[in-house]
Amino acid sequence: MGNLLPRKPLSVLSRCTRPTSNVNASMTLRFTSTLQAHTQAKTTPSPSLPPLSVLPARVLLRSLLVSTISSKRFLLIPALSMLSFLSKRNRVWLFDVDRNPILHGILKKTFYNQFCAGENGAECRSTIREMKDMGFRGMILTYAAETVFDHSTQAQHGQSVTALANEQGGVSINAPVYQCPSIEAWREGTVQTIYMTEAEDYLAVKLTGAGSKVTEAFAAGELPPQQMMDALDEVCTKAKDRKVRILVDAESQHFQKGISRVAVELMRKYNRDGYATIYNTYQAYLKSTPVTLANHLAVAKENGFTLGLKLVRGAYMATDERSLIHDTKEDTDNAYNMIAQGALRKNIGEFGDKGSRDFPSVNLFLASHNRDSVVAAHQLHKHRVMSGLPTVPVRFAQLHGMSDEVSFSLLQMNDGDGTPEVYKCSTWGGMGECLAYLLRRAIENRDAVLRTDSEYRALKKEVFRRAKSVFSLSISS
């Protein structure tokens, strides 16, 4: 189990983690050998070439197509309307993405393949292998089913797991009759996801995908039914056995208090080996996040477990209550960087050498498309490691199909020590299940005009570079 520790030289691990026994120390030594072998075998983008030079031609051209739509408002608005229309349930055959093969094929070759891992295990495993061949440390994989609460309409919507189970002929015949079919379907889908991943990959879970009994508990700030807690224990145990870690996704604020309670309970139980198997997700765009994080740091310190801290900016601005969110993007950026750099310095609020309480054990996962944030975080971590200053293990991630230039730029910063460790996060499921996710990605691109325009220019530049190279070769021959 030593290879579960983040990939750092032994000297770094001794500062970032505190083995509590000789067994843990020997695990660290074994891990170092594994890391060295992995680093030697892994290819990363050449610093002499543009970051996007690693992309296969078909991925580059598809990315350019999607980026062209995302960066041009006159194309993006109709695309958003189309995805919103198609995501509505009970469409006639012509507009049903799962029953109309022509519509399914068009979406599959464009938006779906750009942002999603696959509709089945074989497709997902192929996508994971392709990502790792491009130099990524691993993959974060999540099952698409979720429930979103729209504050403006006070309504819940999303792919119903119960409906999915009915379409597939119900749940397992071995399931006890008293079990909630939605929770059982979620359990089966999530366990299936675990077996699509490999060691050092991550499983991201959307707990609201388990249906109404679970979301009702979350809305009340309570733990879900015992059947759901049992399912989570099974998922955590199976993931840990396969050396796969779990990211509990943040979701609509209507449900988040209950989701965070579950995440803390799971961390309390499974993060007791000096590293994090379970991570909770903290959204920097929420004004309440610093207080929430401080409370969870206190619980981790008092109960002696490692806090898994996955930090994102946030993806539910279109549906969450606006007053809960920072007033400006600059405020959100500042909040994100303050938390990320505070964790890397082991100083957040009252915790750390600048506060009144010792900093607890923390593993950090920075999920961001903001180049400035992730580069600054990596450079700070590198500086503290080289200077012998205390820090925490950190990994980075961007969404599949988005901010590839940021991802590959990070990979180019690897100077032979295996850092930074970069992941891609993707969703899997049927076309109908993934439409809500695809719509949210499109809305995110609409709201990030500067980033999408920058991506478009970078992709176009890379296409022209390759075309020029081919043309030059043909002239010289």
Side-chain angles (χ1 to χ4, degrees), residues 69-214:
I69 296 172
S70 300
S71 61
K72 309 299 181 186
R73 191 171 182 82
F74 70 93
L75 295 175
L76 180 59
I77 298 304
L80 281 171
S81 298
M82 178 197 70
L83 287 174
S84 179
F85 174 78
L86 294 175
S87 66
K88 301 293 190 297
R89 295 179 58 194
N90 301 319
R91 287 294 179 193
V92 297
W93 175 88
L94 183 63
F95 300 114
D96 189 318
V97 296
D98 289 319
R99 293 190 293 163
N100 183 332
I102 298 176
L103 184 59
H104 182 280
I106 293 172
L107 287 173
K108 182 74 176 281
K109 294 296 183 182
T110 53
F111 290 99
Y112 184 95
N113 283 346
Q114 181 68 12
F115 299 114
C116 300
E119 295 188 81
N120 53 56
E123 290 180 0
C124 289
R125 282 185 282 271
S126 175
T127 300
I128 292 172
R129 179 47 48 201
E130 182 176 55
M131 291 294 177
K132 292 184 178 181
D133 288 345
M134 285 190 279
F136 292 106
R137 181 69 173 95
M139 196 80 167
I140 304 168
L141 194 60
T142 184
Y143 184 43
E146 68 172 316
T147 300
V148 175
F149 182 85
D150 190 331
H151 175 76
S152 63
T153 63
Q154 295 292 300
Q156 300 181 84
H157 57 88
Q159 173 69 25
S160 168
V161 180
T162 304
L164 174 63
N166 290 336
E167 290 170 4
Q168 295 178 338
V171 298
S172 169
I173 59 174
N174 296 318
V177 295
Y178 59 84
Q179 287 192 332
C180 169
S182 297
I183 296 176
E184 177 62 14
W186 181 91
R187 183 197 67 80
E188 291 184 352
T190 305
V191 169
Q192 186 180 358
T193 308
I194 295 173
Y195 290 108
M196 296 177 188
T197 59
E198 302 171 349
E200 292 300 317
D201 287 335
Y202 285 74
L203 167 71
V205 292
K206 295 185 182 298
L207 302 185
T208 61
S212 60
K213 289 186 180 297
V214 171

Side-chain angles (χ1 to χ4, degrees), residues 50-52 60 63-72 371 405 448-465:
L52 295 175
L60 175 65
S63 298
L64 180 61
L65 171 63
V66 173
S67 182
T68 299
I69 296 172
S70 300
S71 61
K72 309 299 181 186
R371 180 188 175 94
E405 188 180 29
V449 177
L450 293 178
R451 175 175 56 76
T452 53
D453 188 57
S454 175
E455 289 178 16
Y456 168 70
R457 291 197 305 271
L459 289 163
K460 187 168 67 171
K461 183 177 180 180
E462 176 61 19
V463 170
F464 286 160
R465 185 192 70 83

Side-chain angles (χ1 to χ4, degrees), residues 122-379:
E123 290 180 0
C124 289
R125 282 185 282 271
S126 175
T127 300
I128 292 172
R129 179 47 48 201
E130 182 176 55
M131 291 294 177
K132 292 184 178 181
D133 288 345
M134 285 190 279
F136 292 106
R137 181 69 173 95
M139 196 80 167
I140 304 168
L141 194 60
T142 184
Y143 184 43
E146 68 172 316
T147 300
V148 175
F149 182 85
D150 190 331
H151 175 76
S152 63
T153 63
Q154 295 292 300
Q156 300 181 84
H157 57 88
Q159 173 69 25
S160 168
V161 180
T162 304
L164 174 63
N166 290 336
E167 290 170 4
Q168 295 178 338
V171 298
S172 169
I173 59 174
N174 296 318
V177 295
Y178 59 84
Q179 287 192 332
C180 169
S182 297
I183 296 176
E184 177 62 14
W186 181 91
R187 183 197 67 80
E188 291 184 352
T190 305
V191 169
Q192 186 180 358
T193 308
I194 295 173
Y195 290 108
M196 296 177 188
T197 59
E198 302 171 349
E200 292 300 317
D201 287 335
Y202 285 74
L203 167 71
V205 292
K206 295 185 182 298
L207 302 185
T208 61
S212 60
K213 289 186 180 297
V214 171
T215 57
E216 287 170 6
F218 288 159
E222 302 293 337
L223 294 176
Q226 187 60 44
Q227 181 192 347
M228 182 65 176
M229 296 304 295
D230 291 342
L232 284 165
D233 280 332
E234 178 186 353
V235 166
C236 292
T237 300
K238 282 181 164 60
K240 194 162 187 173
D241 288 345
R242 288 179 63 84
K243 302 183 175 71
V244 171
R245 303 192 196 194
I246 296 175
L247 305 172
V248 179
D249 276 349
E251 302 190 53
S252 301
Q253 281 306 292
H254 186 69
F255 308 122
Q256 191 56 45
K257 186 176 180 180
I259 292 172
S260 290
R261 282 195 62 185
V262 171
V264 169
E265 289 303 312
L266 295 177
M267 287 192 287
R268 196 196 313 269
K269 183 172 184 179
Y270 292 98
N271 289 5
R272 293 190 170 277
D273 301 313
Y275 61 90
T277 294
I278 313 297
Y279 289 70
N280 189 34
T281 301
Y282 300 86
Q283 300 179 95
Y285 75 174
L286 293 173
K287 298 173 183 177
S288 61
T289 291
V291 173
T292 300
L293 178 57
N295 290 337
H296 292 181
L297 287 169
V299 173
K301 186 64 182 176
E302 292 165 4
N303 290 267
F305 64 84
T306 297
L307 184 75
L309 197 173
K310 176 194 169 191
L311 185 63
V312 302
R313 275 173 167 76
Y316 293 87
M317 184 175 287
T319 54
D320 275 343
E321 183 179 351
R322 186 62 182 87
S323 64
L324 301 176
I325 299 170
H326 283 300
D327 297 331
T328 67
K329 181 182 181 301
E330 183 181 8
D331 289 342
T332 295
D333 289 342
N334 290 337
Y336 188 98
N337 293 332
M338 181 185 69
I339 295 172
Q341 296 188 23
L344 291 168
R345 291 188 174 96
K346 301 186 76 169
N347 272 297
I348 295 180
E350 63 178 331
F351 295 94
D353 56 21
K354 293 183 180 180
S356 58
R357 306 180 68 177
D358 290 340
F359 199 83
S361 175
V362 170
N363 285 179
L364 181 62
F365 205 112
L366 297 178
S368 175
H369 297 153
N370 186 297
R371 180 188 175 94
D372 292 340
S373 291
V374 294
V375 169
H378 172 63
Q379 291 175 340

